[in-house]
Amino acid sequence: MSDCLFCKIVANEIPAEIVYETGRTLAFRDVNPQAPTHVLVIPKEHHADAAALAAADDGLADEVLKSAHEVAVLDGVSGSGYRIVFNTGAGAGQTVFHVHAHVLGGRDLGWPPG
Ligand code: AMP
């Protein structure tokens, strides 16, 4: 999608600190990190939110999840624990409508989230 921020990152039109990539996914650091590890994992293909990604039904959601875990391993937080969050819809705080998993770790995240 031409007006989508994360599609522009995939297309290399906007810079990002990329930490992991597969054929169909990209992971890059959040510009406004909420934890020592705060990485966004996206499918390169545009899907607006987690519901649309799930409906794609082609293994892409699996690949996003596997990439999120790989990011946690690469950032050294898989042992201490990490959180994967898909904000879905404006009411849940979603501001970029290209589905993304937030991978958060490296501090005590607490529960429930604030
Ligand atoms: P959400 O509120 O769940 O839609 O999350 C969107 C996230 O994208 C926020 O945490 C932002 O800080 C992050 N963000 C916005 N623009 C960029 C960018 N250019 N590069 C990396 N992260 C971004």
Side-chain angles (χ1 to χ4, degrees), residues 4-110:
C4 169
L5 177 65
F6 289 174
C7 284
K8 287 180 179 167
I9 289 176
V10 172
N12 252 323
E13 292 168 15
I14 290 180
E17 189 182 342
I18 292 167
V19 295
Y20 185 66
E21 184 170 9
T22 68
R24 296 204 293 170
T25 71
L26 189 67
F28 51 92
R29 297 205 185 277
D30 196 295
V31 283
N32 183 23
Q34 303 301 309
T37 289
H38 189 172
V39 173
L40 303 176
V41 181
I42 66 169
K44 292 178 180 175
E45 184 179 291
H46 184 89
H47 294 282
D49 59 18
L53 177 63
D57 198 24
D58 61 357
L60 190 53
D62 288 2
E63 200 163 326
V64 169
L65 193 58
K66 284 175 183 157
S67 293
H69 175 65
E70 191 57 33
V71 163
V73 171
L74 289 172
D75 246 29
V77 298
S78 62
S80 54
Y82 61 95
R83 184 169 294 157
I84 300 173
V85 176
F86 289 91
N87 292 328
T88 306
Q94 186 176 3
T95 58
V96 179
F97 286 84
H98 180 134
V99 63
H100 49 281
H102 295 257
V103 180
L104 297 147
R107 67 168 170 83
D108 183 356
L109 296 166

